[in-house]
Amino acid sequence: MRYLIELSVACAMLTLPATPASAQQSPFRFQEATIAGIHAAFAAGQLTCTQLTKLYLDRIAAYNMQGPSLHAIITVNPKAMDIAAEMDRGYRTSPASGGPLHCIPVILKDNFNTFDLPTTGGNVSMKTSVPPSDAFTVARIRKAGALIVAKANLQEFARGGMSISSLGGQVRNPYDLSRTPGGSSGGTGAAIAANFAVLGTGSDTGQSIRSPASANNLVGVRPTRGLVSRSGVIPNSLTQDEVGPITRTVTDAALLLDVMAGYDPADPITAFGNGRIPASYTHLLSADALKGARIGVMTNLFGTAERHAEVNQVMEGAIARMAGLGATVVRFDLPGYDGLAAPVSTSQFEARAVMDRYFEALGPNAPIKSFAELVAAKTSAVQRTLEAELAIVDGMNSQAYKDRTLNRDKLRLAVAKKIADLNLDAILYPLQKILVAPITAEDQLERNGTLSNGTGFPAVTFPGGFSTPTASAPLGVPVGAELLGLDYTEAKLLALAYAFEQATTRLLKMTAIRQLYDGEEIWGIVASLVGMVPLWGVSQRDKQYPGREALSATEPSRFICRLRSR
């Protein structure tokens, strides 16, 4: 026997009860909540920090290791509710003292040091490693008033793009549970897509912020080299590592970048960012930002085989939309790119030195005290990679390293010259030429991160659209578009992405979850306009609807619950 229940609003569209003082305020919507929406709800008396934090913790409990078992989170902050209660007390006393990220739930990739939570890199031998202090960016995020709710799973030690670790297992993509969420910051990407928090952080040696952003319909920013400090983040590379935001909207990415950017004496490269940081990265955000912009479409970064068709179709739609919004599209080929891009990675020559430096800073009580000790433990999901890195002694003095450093300069010059010759505001391309890899694949292939990681130029990845729907991906698989510009053009890139985002607010977003309940398969599908991505099953017995009570009854959405007999 098969049952089909279609409920247009009543199935899920409930709200937090409004207080008399907030009667004129629009109801707070938990799904896809933004910084501005949360702060407006606080100001209107509709919501407290404690209530908000509980909603996110409930979602993590319901969906991280149960139901879809996303495996996105390694550690939940056990003091989150206590911190939220303290924030509520402070807010009642002085609402203006909360900071720009007051009580905004944040999930950190678990290679960002936290003085009060383990920082594991996803490795079982590191599961009790608690650093003596926060990473520079984490300290700034806390100072801005944010609440760290959890630390995210990742490709172990950020070596690769599948997002699997010995401690956290394989992260699954909320849009298609048979696929990876990209990587290496895949736990952050899956968590933010699944509404486990509002903001997330990632690190990016190759494309590890942008790959999860692309695969999970999110916004990711790899900043200019020197804009954001890397100190206190488990490293891969002295040259290539960057850290930045992963969020659901461009505005929230800009606001988090405001907090993360800044000079840090412990990371001298950030001295180059002094005087280059605007008052806010939101200052150029405009729905008209694409009008008159010159967008270069780099054809080298598009595939031509049948396997590339889905991504190409999405990208052509995005290009057409940008042109319709007033941009001039300039298609070009960068001669010699493939030859220049291949020999620019320096991370394997730098890994041993930067990892030893990290372990030295952990102090005498750390469970692992050197890179050699870590490799000797033989506990890693990326064991062969770590062994290969350890085997390179004094890599930064090798001729191969010097050649690659020179190749980076050549690539940087070639890209800058092309931007100048064509008078471009930005270069556009897909972050990945094919759909994100299934969890059964051996590697995450055909990604285009080198244009940014090989030059140091900033890049912003943003939702471009979806592939053709399938049984495992009822809305399709997200496809991320990426914009790259010259040094310190993050504000411009964010503005261009924002204009596209604002013009495509009718793109459907959804998540499908299968759960078992009383001998029946419960198939919960939520398809909605941008502004919501509910992630839940429909177990009446367990009442696993975290966040339902915070949905808006006015949201123009559709919630279909299919109950199938087994």
mmCIF file with all atom_site columns, all heavy atoms in Angstrom, residues 56-81:
data_model
loop_
_atom_site.group_PDB
_atom_site.id
_atom_site.type_symbol
_atom_site.label_atom_id
_atom_site.label_alt_id
_atom_site.label_comp_id
_atom_site.label_asym_id
_atom_site.label_entity_id
_atom_site.label_seq_id
_atom_site.pdbx_PDB_ins_code
_atom_site.Cartn_x
_atom_site.Cartn_y
_atom_site.Cartn_z
_atom_site.occupancy
_atom_site.B_iso_or_equiv
_atom_site.pdbx_formal_charge
_atom_site.auth_seq_id
_atom_site.auth_comp_id
_atom_site.auth_asym_id
_atom_site.auth_atom_id
_atom_site.pdbx_PDB_model_num
ATOM 1   N N   . TYR A 1 56 ? 19.799 24.595 16.299 1.00 0.00 ? 56 TYR A N   1
ATOM 2   C CA  . TYR A 1 56 ? 20.911 24.059 15.517 1.00 0.00 ? 56 TYR A CA  1
ATOM 3   C C   . TYR A 1 56 ? 21.465 22.775 16.132 1.00 0.00 ? 56 TYR A C   1
ATOM 4   O O   . TYR A 1 56 ? 21.798 21.824 15.413 1.00 0.00 ? 56 TYR A O   1
ATOM 5   C CB  . TYR A 1 56 ? 22.009 25.107 15.354 1.00 0.00 ? 56 TYR A CB  1
ATOM 6   C CG  . TYR A 1 56 ? 21.642 26.166 14.340 1.00 0.00 ? 56 TYR A CG  1
ATOM 7   C CD1 . TYR A 1 56 ? 21.369 27.470 14.713 1.00 0.00 ? 56 TYR A CD1 1
ATOM 8   C CD2 . TYR A 1 56 ? 21.555 25.840 12.992 1.00 0.00 ? 56 TYR A CD2 1
ATOM 9   C CE1 . TYR A 1 56 ? 21.018 28.431 13.774 1.00 0.00 ? 56 TYR A CE1 1
ATOM 10  C CE2 . TYR A 1 56 ? 21.203 26.798 12.042 1.00 0.00 ? 56 TYR A CE2 1
ATOM 11  C CZ  . TYR A 1 56 ? 20.936 28.092 12.447 1.00 0.00 ? 56 TYR A CZ  1
ATOM 12  O OH  . TYR A 1 56 ? 20.582 29.031 11.512 1.00 0.00 ? 56 TYR A OH  1
ATOM 13  N N   . LEU A 1 57 ? 21.579 22.732 17.442 1.00 0.00 ? 57 LEU A N   1
ATOM 14  C CA  . LEU A 1 57 ? 22.057 21.515 18.093 1.00 0.00 ? 57 LEU A CA  1
ATOM 15  C C   . LEU A 1 57 ? 21.114 20.344 17.851 1.00 0.00 ? 57 LEU A C   1
ATOM 16  O O   . LEU A 1 57 ? 21.553 19.203 17.665 1.00 0.00 ? 57 LEU A O   1
ATOM 17  C CB  . LEU A 1 57 ? 22.233 21.754 19.597 1.00 0.00 ? 57 LEU A CB  1
ATOM 18  C CG  . LEU A 1 57 ? 23.340 22.730 19.994 1.00 0.00 ? 57 LEU A CG  1
ATOM 19  C CD1 . LEU A 1 57 ? 23.349 22.934 21.508 1.00 0.00 ? 57 LEU A CD1 1
ATOM 20  C CD2 . LEU A 1 57 ? 24.713 22.246 19.531 1.00 0.00 ? 57 LEU A CD2 1
ATOM 21  N N   . ASP A 1 58 ? 19.806 20.609 17.831 1.00 0.00 ? 58 ASP A N   1
ATOM 22  C CA  . ASP A 1 58 ? 18.828 19.557 17.556 1.00 0.00 ? 58 ASP A CA  1
ATOM 23  C C   . ASP A 1 58 ? 18.988 19.008 16.143 1.00 0.00 ? 58 ASP A C   1
ATOM 24  O O   . ASP A 1 58 ? 18.866 17.806 15.903 1.00 0.00 ? 58 ASP A O   1
ATOM 25  C CB  . ASP A 1 58 ? 17.405 20.076 17.744 1.00 0.00 ? 58 ASP A CB  1
ATOM 26  C CG  . ASP A 1 58 ? 17.001 20.196 19.209 1.00 0.00 ? 58 ASP A CG  1
ATOM 27  O OD1 . ASP A 1 58 ? 17.747 19.687 20.069 1.00 0.00 ? 58 ASP A OD1 1
ATOM 28  O OD2 . ASP A 1 58 ? 15.953 20.805 19.492 1.00 0.00 ? 58 ASP A OD2 1
ATOM 29  N N   . ARG A 1 59 ? 19.254 19.885 15.209 1.00 0.00 ? 59 ARG A N   1
ATOM 30  C CA  . ARG A 1 59 ? 19.431 19.433 13.825 1.00 0.00 ? 59 ARG A CA  1
ATOM 31  C C   . ARG A 1 59 ? 20.686 18.565 13.694 1.00 0.00 ? 59 ARG A C   1
ATOM 32  O O   . ARG A 1 59 ? 20.680 17.533 13.019 1.00 0.00 ? 59 ARG A O   1
ATOM 33  C CB  . ARG A 1 59 ? 19.511 20.627 12.872 1.00 0.00 ? 59 ARG A CB  1
ATOM 34  C CG  . ARG A 1 59 ? 18.190 21.358 12.699 1.00 0.00 ? 59 ARG A CG  1
ATOM 35  C CD  . ARG A 1 59 ? 18.298 22.485 11.699 1.00 0.00 ? 59 ARG A CD  1
ATOM 36  N NE  . ARG A 1 59 ? 18.492 21.989 10.350 1.00 0.00 ? 59 ARG A NE  1
ATOM 37  C CZ  . ARG A 1 59 ? 17.522 21.492 9.574  1.00 0.00 ? 59 ARG A CZ  1
ATOM 38  N NH1 . ARG A 1 59 ? 16.299 21.377 10.038 1.00 0.00 ? 59 ARG A NH1 1
ATOM 39  N NH2 . ARG A 1 59 ? 17.785 21.094 8.340  1.00 0.00 ? 59 ARG A NH2 1
ATOM 40  N N   . ILE A 1 60 ? 21.757 18.982 14.352 1.00 0.00 ? 60 ILE A N   1
ATOM 41  C CA  . ILE A 1 60 ? 22.975 18.180 14.317 1.00 0.00 ? 60 ILE A CA  1
ATOM 42  C C   . ILE A 1 60 ? 22.718 16.799 14.913 1.00 0.00 ? 60 ILE A C   1
ATOM 43  O O   . ILE A 1 60 ? 23.113 15.769 14.351 1.00 0.00 ? 60 ILE A O   1
ATOM 44  C CB  . ILE A 1 60 ? 24.112 18.898 15.067 1.00 0.00 ? 60 ILE A CB  1
ATOM 45  C CG1 . ILE A 1 60 ? 24.518 20.190 14.329 1.00 0.00 ? 60 ILE A CG1 1
ATOM 46  C CG2 . ILE A 1 60 ? 25.324 17.978 15.219 1.00 0.00 ? 60 ILE A CG2 1
ATOM 47  C CD1 . ILE A 1 60 ? 25.487 21.061 15.102 1.00 0.00 ? 60 ILE A CD1 1
ATOM 48  N N   . ALA A 1 61 ? 22.021 16.768 16.054 1.00 0.00 ? 61 ALA A N   1
ATOM 49  C CA  . ALA A 1 61 ? 21.727 15.493 16.707 1.00 0.00 ? 61 ALA A CA  1
ATOM 50  C C   . ALA A 1 61 ? 20.863 14.598 15.822 1.00 0.00 ? 61 ALA A C   1
ATOM 51  O O   . ALA A 1 61 ? 21.027 13.379 15.797 1.00 0.00 ? 61 ALA A O   1
ATOM 52  C CB  . ALA A 1 61 ? 21.037 15.745 18.046 1.00 0.00 ? 61 ALA A CB  1
ATOM 53  N N   . ALA A 1 62 ? 19.944 15.197 15.081 1.00 0.00 ? 62 ALA A N   1
ATOM 54  C CA  . ALA A 1 62 ? 18.999 14.418 14.280 1.00 0.00 ? 62 ALA A CA  1
ATOM 55  C C   . ALA A 1 62 ? 19.597 13.898 12.982 1.00 0.00 ? 62 ALA A C   1
ATOM 56  O O   . ALA A 1 62 ? 19.232 12.811 12.525 1.00 0.00 ? 62 ALA A O   1
ATOM 57  C CB  . ALA A 1 62 ? 17.759 15.259 13.968 1.00 0.00 ? 62 ALA A CB  1
ATOM 58  N N   . TYR A 1 63 ? 20.518 14.625 12.379 1.00 0.00 ? 63 TYR A N   1
ATOM 59  C CA  . TYR A 1 63 ? 20.917 14.298 11.017 1.00 0.00 ? 63 TYR A CA  1
ATOM 60  C C   . TYR A 1 63 ? 22.393 14.021 10.798 1.00 0.00 ? 63 TYR A C   1
ATOM 61  O O   . TYR A 1 63 ? 22.784 13.578 9.721  1.00 0.00 ? 63 TYR A O   1
ATOM 62  C CB  . TYR A 1 63 ? 20.476 15.417 10.064 1.00 0.00 ? 63 TYR A CB  1
ATOM 63  C CG  . TYR A 1 63 ? 19.026 15.740 10.209 1.00 0.00 ? 63 TYR A CG  1
ATOM 64  C CD1 . TYR A 1 63 ? 18.599 17.035 10.472 1.00 0.00 ? 63 TYR A CD1 1
ATOM 65  C CD2 . TYR A 1 63 ? 18.074 14.742 10.125 1.00 0.00 ? 63 TYR A CD2 1
ATOM 66  C CE1 . TYR A 1 63 ? 17.261 17.318 10.634 1.00 0.00 ? 63 TYR A CE1 1
ATOM 67  C CE2 . TYR A 1 63 ? 16.727 15.019 10.294 1.00 0.00 ? 63 TYR A CE2 1
ATOM 68  C CZ  . TYR A 1 63 ? 16.329 16.314 10.542 1.00 0.00 ? 63 TYR A CZ  1
ATOM 69  O OH  . TYR A 1 63 ? 15.008 16.581 10.709 1.00 0.00 ? 63 TYR A OH  1
ATOM 70  N N   . ASN A 1 64 ? 23.229 14.302 11.798 1.00 0.00 ? 64 ASN A N   1
ATOM 71  C CA  . ASN A 1 64 ? 24.657 14.057 11.577 1.00 0.00 ? 64 ASN A CA  1
ATOM 72  C C   . ASN A 1 64 ? 24.982 12.570 11.603 1.00 0.00 ? 64 ASN A C   1
ATOM 73  O O   . ASN A 1 64 ? 25.643 12.058 10.690 1.00 0.00 ? 64 ASN A O   1
ATOM 74  C CB  . ASN A 1 64 ? 25.496 14.796 12.619 1.00 0.00 ? 64 ASN A CB  1
ATOM 75  C CG  . ASN A 1 64 ? 26.979 14.716 12.308 1.00 0.00 ? 64 ASN A CG  1
ATOM 76  O OD1 . ASN A 1 64 ? 27.408 15.095 11.223 1.00 0.00 ? 64 ASN A OD1 1
ATOM 77  N ND2 . ASN A 1 64 ? 27.763 14.216 13.251 1.00 0.00 ? 64 ASN A ND2 1
ATOM 78  N N   . MET A 1 65 ? 24.521 11.856 12.608 1.00 0.00 ? 65 MET A N   1
ATOM 79  C CA  . MET A 1 65 ? 24.812 10.425 12.731 1.00 0.00 ? 65 MET A CA  1
ATOM 80  C C   . MET A 1 65 ? 23.546 9.572  12.676 1.00 0.00 ? 65 MET A C   1
ATOM 81  O O   . MET A 1 65 ? 23.622 8.356  12.832 1.00 0.00 ? 65 MET A O   1
ATOM 82  C CB  . MET A 1 65 ? 25.558 10.153 14.042 1.00 0.00 ? 65 MET A CB  1
ATOM 83  C CG  . MET A 1 65 ? 26.884 10.881 14.146 1.00 0.00 ? 65 MET A CG  1
ATOM 84  S SD  . MET A 1 65 ? 28.056 10.442 12.820 1.00 0.00 ? 65 MET A SD  1
ATOM 85  C CE  . MET A 1 65 ? 28.434 8.761  13.270 1.00 0.00 ? 65 MET A CE  1
ATOM 86  N N   . GLN A 1 66 ? 22.390 10.177 12.465 1.00 0.00 ? 66 GLN A N   1
ATOM 87  C CA  . GLN A 1 66 ? 21.129 9.473  12.311 1.00 0.00 ? 66 GLN A CA  1
ATOM 88  C C   . GLN A 1 66 ? 20.513 9.862  10.968 1.00 0.00 ? 66 GLN A C   1
ATOM 89  O O   . GLN A 1 66 ? 20.987 10.755 10.294 1.00 0.00 ? 66 GLN A O   1
ATOM 90  C CB  . GLN A 1 66 ? 20.159 9.842  13.437 1.00 0.00 ? 66 GLN A CB  1
ATOM 91  C CG  . GLN A 1 66 ? 20.674 9.567  14.844 1.00 0.00 ? 66 GLN A CG  1
ATOM 92  C CD  . GLN A 1 66 ? 19.637 9.931  15.880 1.00 0.00 ? 66 GLN A CD  1
ATOM 93  O OE1 . GLN A 1 66 ? 18.559 9.349  15.935 1.00 0.00 ? 66 GLN A OE1 1
ATOM 94  N NE2 . GLN A 1 66 ? 19.957 10.915 16.713 1.00 0.00 ? 66 GLN A NE2 1
ATOM 95  N N   . GLY A 1 67 ? 19.399 9.197  10.623 1.00 0.00 ? 67 GLY A N   1
ATOM 96  C CA  . GLY A 1 67 ? 18.721 9.540  9.381  1.00 0.00 ? 67 GLY A CA  1
ATOM 97  C C   . GLY A 1 67 ? 19.675 9.477  8.207  1.00 0.00 ? 67 GLY A C   1
ATOM 98  O O   . GLY A 1 67 ? 20.209 8.414  7.885  1.00 0.00 ? 67 GLY A O   1
ATOM 99  N N   . PRO A 1 68 ? 19.957 10.593 7.557  1.00 0.00 ? 68 PRO A N   1
ATOM 100 C CA  . PRO A 1 68 ? 20.868 10.594 6.402  1.00 0.00 ? 68 PRO A CA  1
ATOM 101 C C   . PRO A 1 68 ? 22.313 10.317 6.786  1.00 0.00 ? 68 PRO A C   1
ATOM 102 O O   . PRO A 1 68 ? 23.131 10.028 5.924  1.00 0.00 ? 68 PRO A O   1
ATOM 103 C CB  . PRO A 1 68 ? 20.720 12.002 5.838  1.00 0.00 ? 68 PRO A CB  1
ATOM 104 C CG  . PRO A 1 68 ? 20.336 12.826 7.023  1.00 0.00 ? 68 PRO A CG  1
ATOM 105 C CD  . PRO A 1 68 ? 19.439 11.936 7.845  1.00 0.00 ? 68 PRO A CD  1
ATOM 106 N N   . SER A 1 69 ? 22.645 10.454 8.090  1.00 0.00 ? 69 SER A N   1
ATOM 107 C CA  . SER A 1 69 ? 24.012 10.219 8.587  1.00 0.00 ? 69 SER A CA  1
ATOM 108 C C   . SER A 1 69 ? 25.035 10.959 7.735  1.00 0.00 ? 69 SER A C   1
ATOM 109 O O   . SER A 1 69 ? 25.891 10.369 7.088  1.00 0.00 ? 69 SER A O   1
ATOM 110 C CB  . SER A 1 69 ? 24.322 8.722  8.607  1.00 0.00 ? 69 SER A CB  1
ATOM 111 O OG  . SER A 1 69 ? 23.485 8.050  9.514  1.00 0.00 ? 69 SER A OG  1
ATOM 112 N N   . LEU A 1 70 ? 24.963 12.270 7.777  1.00 0.00 ? 70 LEU A N   1
ATOM 113 C CA  . LEU A 1 70 ? 25.838 13.091 6.944  1.00 0.00 ? 70 LEU A CA  1
ATOM 114 C C   . LEU A 1 70 ? 27.309 13.019 7.343  1.00 0.00 ? 70 LEU A C   1
ATOM 115 O O   . LEU A 1 70 ? 28.187 13.304 6.530  1.00 0.00 ? 70 LEU A O   1
ATOM 116 C CB  . LEU A 1 70 ? 25.381 14.554 6.989  1.00 0.00 ? 70 LEU A CB  1
ATOM 117 C CG  . LEU A 1 70 ? 23.987 14.834 6.417  1.00 0.00 ? 70 LEU A CG  1
ATOM 118 C CD1 . LEU A 1 70 ? 23.645 16.306 6.566  1.00 0.00 ? 70 LEU A CD1 1
ATOM 119 C CD2 . LEU A 1 70 ? 23.902 14.409 4.960  1.00 0.00 ? 70 LEU A CD2 1
ATOM 120 N N   . HIS A 1 71 ? 27.593 12.673 8.599  1.00 0.00 ? 71 HIS A N   1
ATOM 121 C CA  . HIS A 1 71 ? 28.977 12.615 9.080  1.00 0.00 ? 71 HIS A CA  1
ATOM 122 C C   . HIS A 1 71 ? 29.697 13.940 8.848  1.00 0.00 ? 71 HIS A C   1
ATOM 123 O O   . HIS A 1 71 ? 30.908 13.954 8.559  1.00 0.00 ? 71 HIS A O   1
ATOM 124 C CB  . HIS A 1 71 ? 29.746 11.473 8.419  1.00 0.00 ? 71 HIS A CB  1
ATOM 125 C CG  . HIS A 1 71 ? 29.343 10.115 8.894  1.00 0.00 ? 71 HIS A CG  1
ATOM 126 N ND1 . HIS A 1 71 ? 30.009 9.433  9.892  1.00 0.00 ? 71 HIS A ND1 1
ATOM 127 C CD2 . HIS A 1 71 ? 28.327 9.304  8.522  1.00 0.00 ? 71 HIS A CD2 1
ATOM 128 C CE1 . HIS A 1 71 ? 29.432 8.275  10.106 1.00 0.00 ? 71 HIS A CE1 1
ATOM 129 N NE2 . HIS A 1 71 ? 28.399 8.167  9.286  1.00 0.00 ? 71 HIS A NE2 1
ATOM 130 N N   . ALA A 1 72 ? 28.976 15.037 8.984  1.00 0.00 ? 72 ALA A N   1
ATOM 131 C CA  . ALA A 1 72 ? 29.558 16.354 8.737  1.00 0.00 ? 72 ALA A CA  1
ATOM 132 C C   . ALA A 1 72 ? 30.289 16.917 9.950  1.00 0.00 ? 72 ALA A C   1
ATOM 133 O O   . ALA A 1 72 ? 31.151 17.781 9.802  1.00 0.00 ? 72 ALA A O   1
ATOM 134 C CB  . ALA A 1 72 ? 28.468 17.332 8.301  1.00 0.00 ? 72 ALA A CB  1
ATOM 135 N N   . ILE A 1 73 ? 29.941 16.442 11.142 1.00 0.00 ? 73 ILE A N   1
ATOM 136 C CA  . ILE A 1 73 ? 30.461 17.018 12.385 1.00 0.00 ? 73 ILE A CA  1
ATOM 137 C C   . ILE A 1 73 ? 31.313 16.001 13.125 1.00 0.00 ? 73 ILE A C   1
ATOM 138 O O   . ILE A 1 73 ? 30.938 14.831 13.260 1.00 0.00 ? 73 ILE A O   1
ATOM 139 C CB  . ILE A 1 73 ? 29.297 17.471 13.296 1.00 0.00 ? 73 ILE A CB  1
ATOM 140 C CG1 . ILE A 1 73 ? 28.434 18.521 12.577 1.00 0.00 ? 73 ILE A CG1 1
ATOM 141 C CG2 . ILE A 1 73 ? 29.815 18.019 14.620 1.00 0.00 ? 73 ILE A CG2 1
ATOM 142 C CD1 . ILE A 1 73 ? 29.167 19.778 12.177 1.00 0.00 ? 73 ILE A CD1 1
ATOM 143 N N   . ILE A 1 74 ? 32.456 16.459 13.631 1.00 0.00 ? 74 ILE A N   1
ATOM 144 C CA  . ILE A 1 74 ? 33.306 15.622 14.484 1.00 0.00 ? 74 ILE A CA  1
ATOM 145 C C   . ILE A 1 74 ? 33.043 15.912 15.957 1.00 0.00 ? 74 ILE A C   1
ATOM 146 O O   . ILE A 1 74 ? 32.870 14.996 16.754 1.00 0.00 ? 74 ILE A O   1
ATOM 147 C CB  . ILE A 1 74 ? 34.791 15.829 14.149 1.00 0.00 ? 74 ILE A CB  1
ATOM 148 C CG1 . ILE A 1 74 ? 35.126 15.153 12.808 1.00 0.00 ? 74 ILE A CG1 1
ATOM 149 C CG2 . ILE A 1 74 ? 35.698 15.281 15.250 1.00 0.00 ? 74 ILE A CG2 1
ATOM 150 C CD1 . ILE A 1 74 ? 36.567 15.306 12.366 1.00 0.00 ? 74 ILE A CD1 1
ATOM 151 N N   . THR A 1 75 ? 32.994 17.182 16.338 1.00 0.00 ? 75 THR A N   1
ATOM 152 C CA  . THR A 1 75 ? 32.831 17.566 17.741 1.00 0.00 ? 75 THR A CA  1
ATOM 153 C C   . THR A 1 75 ? 31.758 18.637 17.875 1.00 0.00 ? 75 THR A C   1
ATOM 154 O O   . THR A 1 75 ? 31.792 19.638 17.157 1.00 0.00 ? 75 THR A O   1
ATOM 155 C CB  . THR A 1 75 ? 34.148 18.122 18.321 1.00 0.00 ? 75 THR A CB  1
ATOM 156 O OG1 . THR A 1 75 ? 35.174 17.142 18.190 1.00 0.00 ? 75 THR A OG1 1
ATOM 157 C CG2 . THR A 1 75 ? 33.993 18.491 19.789 1.00 0.00 ? 75 THR A CG2 1
ATOM 158 N N   . VAL A 1 76 ? 30.814 18.416 18.781 1.00 0.00 ? 76 VAL A N   1
ATOM 159 C CA  . VAL A 1 76 ? 29.822 19.430 19.140 1.00 0.00 ? 76 VAL A CA  1
ATOM 160 C C   . VAL A 1 76 ? 30.301 20.126 20.411 1.00 0.00 ? 76 VAL A C   1
ATOM 161 O O   . VAL A 1 76 ? 30.787 19.470 21.346 1.00 0.00 ? 76 VAL A O   1
ATOM 162 C CB  . VAL A 1 76 ? 28.432 18.798 19.362 1.00 0.00 ? 76 VAL A CB  1
ATOM 163 C CG1 . VAL A 1 76 ? 27.437 19.835 19.878 1.00 0.00 ? 76 VAL A CG1 1
ATOM 164 C CG2 . VAL A 1 76 ? 27.924 18.172 18.066 1.00 0.00 ? 76 VAL A CG2 1
ATOM 165 N N   . ASN A 1 77 ? 30.190 21.419 20.452 1.00 0.00 ? 77 ASN A N   1
ATOM 166 C CA  . ASN A 1 77 ? 30.629 22.187 21.618 1.00 0.00 ? 77 ASN A CA  1
ATOM 167 C C   . ASN A 1 77 ? 29.722 21.864 22.809 1.00 0.00 ? 77 ASN A C   1
ATOM 168 O O   . ASN A 1 77 ? 28.546 22.234 22.816 1.00 0.00 ? 77 ASN A O   1
ATOM 169 C CB  . ASN A 1 77 ? 30.576 23.677 21.301 1.00 0.00 ? 77 ASN A CB  1
ATOM 170 C CG  . ASN A 1 77 ? 31.181 24.532 22.405 1.00 0.00 ? 77 ASN A CG  1
ATOM 171 O OD1 . ASN A 1 77 ? 31.452 24.066 23.509 1.00 0.00 ? 77 ASN A OD1 1
ATOM 172 N ND2 . ASN A 1 77 ? 31.404 25.805 22.112 1.00 0.00 ? 77 ASN A ND2 1
ATOM 173 N N   . PRO A 1 78 ? 30.232 21.183 23.845 1.00 0.00 ? 78 PRO A N   1
ATOM 174 C CA  . PRO A 1 78 ? 29.373 20.811 24.975 1.00 0.00 ? 78 PRO A CA  1
ATOM 175 C C   . PRO A 1 78 ? 28.914 21.995 25.811 1.00 0.00 ? 78 PRO A C   1
ATOM 176 O O   . PRO A 1 78 ? 27.981 21.878 26.608 1.00 0.00 ? 78 PRO A O   1
ATOM 177 C CB  . PRO A 1 78 ? 30.262 19.866 25.791 1.00 0.00 ? 78 PRO A CB  1
ATOM 178 C CG  . PRO A 1 78 ? 31.657 20.295 25.472 1.00 0.00 ? 78 PRO A CG  1
ATOM 179 C CD  . PRO A 1 78 ? 31.623 20.735 24.037 1.00 0.00 ? 78 PRO A CD  1
ATOM 180 N N   . LYS A 1 79 ? 29.561 23.136 25.638 1.00 0.00 ? 79 LYS A N   1
ATOM 181 C CA  . LYS A 1 79 ? 29.206 24.329 26.408 1.00 0.00 ? 79 LYS A CA  1
ATOM 182 C C   . LYS A 1 79 ? 28.373 25.318 25.599 1.00 0.00 ? 79 LYS A C   1
ATOM 183 O O   . LYS A 1 79 ? 28.145 26.445 26.039 1.00 0.00 ? 79 LYS A O   1
ATOM 184 C CB  . LYS A 1 79 ? 30.469 25.012 26.924 1.00 0.00 ? 79 LYS A CB  1
ATOM 185 C CG  . LYS A 1 79 ? 31.287 24.153 27.887 1.00 0.00 ? 79 LYS A CG  1
ATOM 186 C CD  . LYS A 1 79 ? 32.518 24.893 28.383 1.00 0.00 ? 79 LYS A CD  1
ATOM 187 C CE  . LYS A 1 79 ? 33.325 24.021 29.352 1.00 0.00 ? 79 LYS A CE  1
ATOM 188 N NZ  . LYS A 1 79 ? 34.543 24.735 29.827 1.00 0.00 ? 79 LYS A NZ  1
ATOM 189 N N   . ALA A 1 80 ? 27.905 24.900 24.429 1.00 0.00 ? 80 ALA A N   1
ATOM 190 C CA  . ALA A 1 80 ? 27.206 25.832 23.543 1.00 0.00 ? 80 ALA A CA  1
ATOM 191 C C   . ALA A 1 80 ? 25.986 26.457 24.209 1.00 0.00 ? 80 ALA A C   1
ATOM 192 O O   . ALA A 1 80 ? 25.758 27.668 24.102 1.00 0.00 ? 80 ALA A O   1
ATOM 193 C CB  . ALA A 1 80 ? 26.803 25.126 22.252 1.00 0.00 ? 80 ALA A CB  1
ATOM 194 N N   . MET A 1 81 ? 25.188 25.655 24.893 1.00 0.00 ? 81 MET A N   1
ATOM 195 C CA  . MET A 1 81 ? 23.978 26.195 25.526 1.00 0.00 ? 81 MET A CA  1
ATOM 196 C C   . MET A 1 81 ? 24.330 27.135 26.682 1.00 0.00 ? 81 MET A C   1
ATOM 197 O O   . MET A 1 81 ? 23.653 28.153 26.889 1.00 0.00 ? 81 MET A O   1
ATOM 198 C CB  . MET A 1 81 ? 23.083 25.064 26.004 1.00 0.00 ? 81 MET A CB  1
ATOM 199 C CG  . MET A 1 81 ? 22.432 24.269 24.879 1.00 0.00 ? 81 MET A CG  1
ATOM 200 S SD  . MET A 1 81 ? 21.383 25.281 23.801 1.00 0.00 ? 81 MET A SD  1
ATOM 201 C CE  . MET A 1 81 ? 20.056 25.722 24.930 1.00 0.00 ? 81 MET A CE  1
#
